[in-house]
Amino acid sequence: MDIIFIREFRADAWIGVYEWEQQRPQTLEFDLDIGLDTHRAGSSDSIRDTIDYGKVVERVRSDLKEAKFKLLEALAEHITQVLFRDFHAEWVKISVAKIGHMRGVKKVGVTIARSRHDPSVAKSNPSSS
């Protein structure tokens, strides 16, 4: 399994459980690992045979402008499903962090990892059947 990665990607999102968090967007930091077979892209030298990380970044930013989430876990799961459904990823690992959210703490966040072949992913990913 090959990995396309995007590191220290920042985007604003409407996220939070508490009312004070929901008053304005918060800047989040993402690290994405997107697993897929890149043999074809290595041979063809064509962007059509791999995942265009620019399009991934655009898509995440676009989704975050529209959606509201309470938990980082829900936001990470949403991005994972987009990567499976719309970018044909085989495996995804996402870390998402709130920056400077707590006094004396640089970042707080969550990391999730999912495989397209995991039965729990298949249930929530309609295109996998």
Side-chain angles (χ1 to χ4, degrees):
M1 180 78 50
D2 305 317
I3 296 175
I4 291 177
F5 65 89
I6 302 169
R7 297 283 183 262
E8 298 180 21
F9 157 46
R10 291 189 177 191
D12 291 335
W14 292 92
I15 189 154
V17 172
Y18 304 107
E19 188 174 323
W20 61 268
E21 292 179 296
Q22 299 169 8
Q23 299 302 313
R24 60 182 168 75
Q26 297 181 55
T27 300
L28 303 178
E29 185 174 278
F30 298 86
D31 285 331
L32 306 174
D33 290 310
I34 307 165
L36 70 157
D37 181 348
T38 64
H39 283 96
R40 180 184 274 170
S43 296
S44 71
D45 202 21
S46 173
I47 191 74
R48 290 180 307 224
D49 293 327
T50 189
I51 291 176
D52 182 337
Y53 47 81
K55 289 187 187 287
V56 171
V57 169
E58 288 174 17
R59 175 61 187 274
V60 170
R61 283 199 170 121
S62 174
D63 281 9
L64 294 180
K65 285 181 185 176
E66 304 297 323
K68 292 187 178 187
F69 299 93
K70 291 182 181 174
L71 300 176
L72 292 173
E73 292 87 344
L75 185 153
E77 195 67 51
H78 169 80
I79 294 170
T80 298
Q81 295 308 313
V82 166
L83 292 169
F84 285 147
R85 185 182 60 243
D86 298 343
F87 292 91
H88 311 292
E90 291 294 320
W91 175 86
V92 174
K93 179 180 172 187
I94 297 179
S95 295
V96 57
K98 293 182 179 183
I99 303 164
H101 187 69
M102 297 172 62
R103 185 177 177 173
V105 178
K106 189 172 182 176
K107 298 178 190 174
V108 295
V110 65
T111 298
I112 68 169
R114 302 286 185 267
S115 170
R116 176 183 292 280
H117 305 293
D118 180 346
S120 64
V121 171
K123 289 180 188 175
S124 61
N125 184 0
S127 68
S128 66
S129 33

